Amino acid sequence: QVQLVESGGGLEQPGGSLRLSCAASGFSFEGFTIGWFRQAPGKEREGVACISTSEGNTYYSDSVKGRFTISRDSAKNTVYLQMDSLKPEDTGVYYCSADPWAPVQAMCLTPLGSYWGQGTQVTVSS
């Protein structure tokens, strides 16, 4: 059974850091494009960072570029999102998604991944 499980969310102060994990089971990440998306209340889901697990190419939205870093550990079948210099506008539910065909940029711009996790809440507030 294909499953993506996100973890690492929580409450953090502005300027702080969090690291999210997306662990896959039931399939190998290798060759897939993996993306992190977020959805704030009343807003559409947006892609923030995506990575090609085979080539390592990455894409970041302008809102997180320079603050967030996406990476993968193929041995653990896990993708991470390191979030630094957090801002209140980073608040939302963060989801990871996997797709076997989508190019990296397209994956982030159009949230149509084949597989999705249940999400983890990130709240940035003082």
Side-chain angles (χ1 to χ4, degrees), residues 12-18 67 82-88 90 124-126:
E12 183 59 66
Q13 293 185 345
S17 298
L18 285 172
R67 301 187 297 120
Q82 178 66 40
M83 307 187 296
D84 298 320
S85 302
L86 284 165
K87 303 177 180 180
D90 294 321
V124 184
S125 174
S126 55

Side-chain angles (χ1 to χ4, degrees), residues 2-3 14 20 22 30 34 37 40 44 48 55 59 61 67-68 72 81-82 85 90 94-95 97 111-112 117-118 126:
V2 172
Q3 196 171 15
L20 306 183
C22 172
E30 194 62 30
I34 310 296
F37 299 78
E44 292 186 354
V48 297
E55 299 172 348
Y59 174 86
S61 67
R67 301 187 297 120
F68 290 11
R72 87 279 197 202
L81 185 67
Q82 178 66 40
S85 302
D90 294 321
Y94 282 68
Y95 302 89
S97 179
L112 297 177
Q118 293 301 306
S126 55

Side-chain angles (χ1 to χ4, degrees), residues 56-67:
N57 297 339
T58 58
Y59 174 86
Y60 296 93
S61 67
D62 288 342
S63 60
V64 307
K65 197 174 297 181
R67 301 187 297 120

Side-chain angles (χ1 to χ4, degrees), residues 23-108:
S25 60
F27 73 107
S28 170
F29 265 170
E30 194 62 30
F32 276 67
T33 302
I34 310 296
W36 282 99
F37 299 78
R38 69 186 179 193
Q39 189 163 20
K43 294 188 177 181
E44 292 186 354
R45 190 171 298 188
E46 64 166 333
V48 297
C50 294
I51 187 168
S52 164
T53 57
S54 57
E55 299 172 348
N57 297 339
T58 58
Y59 174 86
Y60 296 93
S61 67
D62 288 342
S63 60
V64 307
K65 197 174 297 181
R67 301 187 297 120
F68 290 11
T69 303
I70 189 171
S71 62
R72 87 279 197 202
D73 185 332
S74 297
K76 295 183 178 180
N77 222 27
T78 299
V79 170
Y80 303 97
L81 185 67
Q82 178 66 40
M83 307 187 296
D84 298 320
S85 302
L86 284 165
K87 303 177 180 180
E89 51 263 44
D90 294 321
T91 295
V93 179
Y94 282 68
Y95 302 89
C96 71
S97 179
D99 193 275
W101 306 113
V104 173
Q105 182 173 345
M107 179 74 171
C108 266

